[in-house]
Amino acid sequence: EPAQHLMRSVRNPGFGQLDDSRELLTRRSDASHFPVKLSLAPVEETRGFVAIVRDISDCKQMELKVVRAAERERLRISRDIHD
């Protein structure tokens, strides 16, 4: 099923331009979901494309930590200003 989901994304109009990439959720064999980055590049000689799929779970966790830290800092500054 993850491959079918990726293929539906690939078939979207405009997807597959040079250096095009999308973030998607896909599923492991244990049915849990995880984020991936799908990057495509055309192969002119074969009218096909090369696909690279990377697990970006760690990046997404780090992004969430940064957002939470920024929110804590914003709240701290807000309290300091109003105290």
Side-chain angles (χ1 to χ4, degrees), residues 7-80:
M7 289 310 296
R8 280 193 301 273
S9 297
V10 168
R11 289 187 186 119
N12 285 338
F15 191 60
Q17 303 301 316
L18 189 59
D19 297 325
D20 197 2
S21 65
R22 301 265 168 93
E23 291 184 7
L24 305 166
L25 278 179
T26 193
R27 192 173 12 191
R28 293 183 178 93
S29 58
D30 67 1
S32 63
H33 289 85
F34 66 103
V36 297
K37 186 170 195 173
L38 172 65
S39 300
L40 296 179
V43 178
E44 297 297 326
E45 296 82 23
T46 63
R47 293 187 177 182
F49 59 88
V50 174
I52 300 170
V53 181
R54 288 189 340 203
D55 182 341
I56 57 172
S57 299
D58 292 342
C59 292
K60 291 296 182 183
Q61 288 175 357
M62 188 59 69
E63 286 175 8
L64 185 57
K65 287 180 182 180
V66 168
V67 167
R68 288 179 177 162
E71 179 63 16
R72 284 192 306 272
E73 183 65 7
R74 188 190 66 76
L75 289 171
R76 185 193 65 76
I77 291 170
S78 178
R79 279 193 307 269
D80 288 351

